[in-house]
Amino acid sequence: MIQAPKGTFDVLPEDAARRELLEEHARKILGAAGYRRIETPTFEATELFERGVGEATDIVRKEMYTFDDGGGRSLTLRPEGTAPICRAYIEHGMHKLPQPVKFWYLGSYYRAEAPQRGRYRQFWQVGAETIGSATPETDAELIVLLADLLEALGVNRTRLALSSLGTPETRAEYRSELVTYLRAHESMLSEEIRTRIDLNPLRAFDATDPGTREVMLGAPKLLDRLAAADAEHLAAVRALLDDAGVEYELDPTLVRGLDYYTRTVFEFSSDALGAQSGVGGGGRYDRLIEQLDGPPTPASGWAAGIERILLAAGEQPLAAELVDLFVALAKPEGARVAFELSREARRAGLHAQQELGSRSLKGQLRHADRIGARYVAIVDDGTSAASGLVSLRNMESGEQRDTAPDNVIPTILRGTGL
Ligand code: HAM
């Protein structure tokens, strides 16, 4: 039997309804702040991620689905959305538009990770990017919008971690300081960290083994080495979050798995999740567009995992899908009248369904009840409809009355009279 590939899943209709609701909230919340939808291709030139996300990152080193397109070009299923959006910004000359340009997006992403709860090989992200503004207000606006979205979706027990990575120059200096420190404590580090001291020393802050953790307690922190302007930027973001009443924890060890960040970085996690507790995160990436051969352009953004949002939100009751009218058949001869009536109802803006099986009338009424129909129109046979009557039943009150077919839709639209 052929099954869905490891780390992937089907979105069945009952799951799709919750995702649609999530998308509606995102559109409303981000749209109201001037973010406009963008979608980029699901695959891109491999080089975009190598240069954008960074060759030393786990994502580029071992999680990308890369293939030859048959013509000798290397393509990669997108592992994230920021580098592609910057590529699109450059490609379409969007620096000529009034700045900043604000985007939001929702789509599928691909990482060859070991699957577990909340971690998949194909997953969905909703994200927002503001390109062309260097202000702390931009970072704070983005953070507040993600907080609002998570709250609106009922994501439980969230925590916000905030930090600053400064500039690449500060980071380079700090990095060599950290490498020196790690070398001095090499014997206590885990094998994995020890072999990667030069490649990615910051990862040591993420380590879980007791030896490395103990070493890291005494390690120098980047936050204490920030240049004055970067420290001011962070202080301004903090003040804005304080004013907005958004709680956060300053986390000097916050490392994100992508190389493009400068200054502000943040991450929302939820205690309602297990090991994969990161719900969404992002930060400022002031050098990325230049790095991809665009004009120097400051930018900031975030992305949140849809599966993790839904997991952390739990089984939120969803607004039940509304079925205004179910057209039932007392006799098969009424099929044509029923067909026309349900079509007219949909044209009038109602959610209408008709009997498509060959159930008994009792079975049809049970079905109408199960799908939550507000009204059921029972069409007798062609003749009684021609003589002008169907039976309209209000499923809530149980009231039922014969009426002309023409009267069914106005009665439901009025919401009174039955
Ligand atoms: P990221 O932290 O790599 O950031 O991913 C964002 C979110 O996507 C994570 O917090 C998590 O919820 C979800 N996610 C990541 N990997 C998986 C996976 N394998 N399975 C399920 N969910 C996953 C970025 O992707 C950046 N582009 C965010 C950003 C935008 N930074 C600036 N602008």
Side-chain angles (χ1 to χ4, degrees):
M1 196 175 65
I2 301 173
Q3 295 186 323
K6 189 172 161 191
T8 71
F9 52 86
D10 298 305
V11 177
L12 300 176
E14 53 269 31
D15 312 321
R18 304 185 75 211
R19 287 167 176 257
E20 272 163 29
L21 195 73
L22 186 157
E23 184 167 342
E24 263 167 48
H25 277 291
R27 179 176 298 116
K28 216 159 70 196
I29 289 171
L30 297 169
Y35 290 73
R36 298 174 67 212
R37 181 96 181 230
I38 186 169
E39 290 303 339
T40 58
T42 40
F43 54 82
E44 296 270 357
T46 302
E47 191 190 350
L48 174 64
F49 302 113
E50 286 170 349
R51 279 167 59 188
V53 174
E55 291 196 269
T57 60
D58 279 352
I59 292 179
V60 171
R61 280 183 348 121
K62 47 188 186 193
E63 294 170 5
M64 298 209 300
Y65 287 101
T66 296
F67 57 97
D68 187 299
D69 75 346
R73 280 168 298 263
S74 177
L75 298 177
T76 291
L77 294 183
R78 58 183 183 186
E80 65 100 47
T82 308
I85 287 170
C86 291
R87 196 258 315 128
Y89 177 92
I90 299 166
E91 188 170 327
H92 300 283
M94 289 194 250
H95 62 280
K96 294 188 208 108
L97 299 175
Q99 304 293 302
V101 187
K102 298 168 157 191
F103 303 107
W104 77 275
Y105 53 98
L106 190 156
S108 56
Y109 296 85
Y110 307 85
R111 296 182 193 176
E113 297 190 81
Q116 62 180 90
R117 183 172 184 261
R119 190 162 74 191
Y120 310 97
R121 294 185 168 175
Q122 177 177 7
F123 57 98
W124 270 256
Q125 283 185 349
V126 56
E129 315 283 350
T130 299
I131 303 187
S133 168
T135 65
E137 286 76 13
T138 300
D139 303 353
E141 173 178 289
L142 281 158
I143 293 171
V144 166
L145 286 168
L146 180 50
D148 287 348
L149 180 61
L150 295 177
E151 193 190 319
L153 293 168
V155 176
N156 296 311
R157 290 150 64 196
T158 55
R159 281 175 287 116
L160 169 61
L162 178 75
S163 189
S164 173
L165 298 181
T167 60
E169 292 74 28
T170 311
R171 218 147 62 228
E173 267 172 48
Y174 165 74
R175 195 190 146 105
S176 50
E177 184 186 350
L178 183 62
V179 168
T180 308
Y181 176 84
L182 292 175
R183 288 248 173 273
H185 298 80
E186 213 163 326
S187 60
M188 284 176 72
L189 301 177
S190 75
E191 155 115 34
E192 204 211 333
I193 297 296
R194 200 178 331 123
T195 52
R196 293 185 59 196
I197 288 183
D198 288 307
L199 196 63
N200 199 350
L202 282 164
R203 273 279 140 154
F205 285 109
D206 269 354
T208 47
D209 68 284
T212 309
R213 286 187 77 112
E214 199 189 319
V215 172
M216 297 324 285
L217 286 178
K221 305 278 189 307
L222 177 60
L223 266 186
D224 301 325
R225 304 286 186 271
L226 291 185
D230 297 334
E232 264 167 47
H233 187 97
L234 177 62
V237 173
R238 295 183 61 178
L240 289 162
L241 292 179
D242 290 340
D243 289 351
V246 174
E247 280 177 38
Y248 60 86
E249 207 178 291
L250 203 60
D251 180 357
T253 67
L254 179 62
V255 267
R256 308 256 314 123
L258 308 105
D259 273 355
Y260 47 61
Y261 293 112
T262 52
R263 294 193 161 173
T264 315
V265 283
F266 59 92
E267 204 161 85
F268 283 87
S269 52
S270 168
D271 292 334
L273 296 172
Q276 300 304 315
S277 63
V279 177
R284 181 159 279 290
Y285 48 96
D286 288 341
R287 309 274 179 108
L288 179 57
I289 296 194
E290 201 177 352
Q291 218 167 290
L292 297 172
D293 303 325
T297 311
S300 191
W302 52 256
I306 286 180
E307 293 74 29
R308 292 193 196 169
I309 290 178
L310 295 177
L311 276 172
E315 289 298 317
Q316 284 275 315
L318 268 189
E321 211 174 308
L322 227 63
V323 178
D324 301 303
L325 174 65
F326 183 79
V327 185
L329 289 175
K331 297 202 181 109
E333 292 79 8
R336 288 171 68 177
V337 174
F339 188 85
E340 191 54 27
L341 180 56
S342 49
R343 179 159 181 256
E344 286 297 328
R346 287 193 291 269
R347 287 186 158 183
L350 296 175
H351 181 148
Q353 298 186 33
Q354 68 171 115
E355 168 63 5
L356 293 175
S358 23
R359 280 174 279 235
S360 67
L361 184 57
K362 209 169 135 204
Q364 293 177 54
L365 289 174
R366 206 180 307 124
H367 177 69
D369 191 47
R370 201 178 295 140
I371 65 174
R374 294 167 52 222
Y375 290 88
V376 177
I378 304 164
V379 178
D380 208 308
D381 50 33
T383 46
S384 83
S387 71
L389 288 183
V390 299
S391 252
L392 187 60
R393 181 188 183 105
N394 181 328
M395 294 295 277
E396 217 168 84
S397 65
E399 249 178 285
Q400 183 166 332
R401 159 173 111 208
D402 288 349
T403 184
D406 284 355
N407 210 16
V408 167
I409 295 167
T411 304
I412 297 175
L413 287 173
R414 263 199 319 273
T416 56
L418 200 73

